[in-house]
Amino acid sequence: MNELIEVCQKFKDGTCSIDELYRRLSWIAVPNQFSEVVSRTEKELEFIHFTELEENWGGKALEVINKLFKEIGYNELNEK
């Protein structure tokens, strides 16, 4: 889970592109209970990448990441 959170944080911090985020999500190992959530997140990011204008990628992907964090029970404020 640490790797998942790390790559999502890197995206939020601007040090990781949507392409890199999508690629890394596809091979990060997560507990079985979260695999469906991560898979859905991958699909949503791919959809954004291919259907949205590039200038909208960051905002739309950020919404997806925030939803992922909520679904896995990760609270950034409490984890820092």
Side-chain angles (χ1 to χ4, degrees), residues 42-71:
E42 286 177 65
K43 289 174 186 165
E44 289 177 20
L45 290 171
E46 183 178 33
F47 184 79
I48 289 167
H49 188 254
F50 290 107
T51 63
E52 292 287 337
L53 296 173
E54 191 170 348
E55 62 258 19
N56 297 335
W57 290 355
K60 296 285 187 177
L62 190 56
E63 292 173 13
V64 172
I65 296 305
N66 287 334
K67 185 170 82 171
L68 170 69
F69 279 172
K70 185 176 179 180
E71 291 184 57

Side-chain angles (χ1 to χ4, degrees), residues 5 9 12-13 66 69 74-80:
I5 292 167
Q9 280 301 144
K12 290 180 86 167
D13 296 341
N66 287 334
F69 279 172
Y74 178 72
N75 184 338
E76 296 172 271
L77 298 176
N78 292 336
E79 298 294 330
K80 290 184 178 180

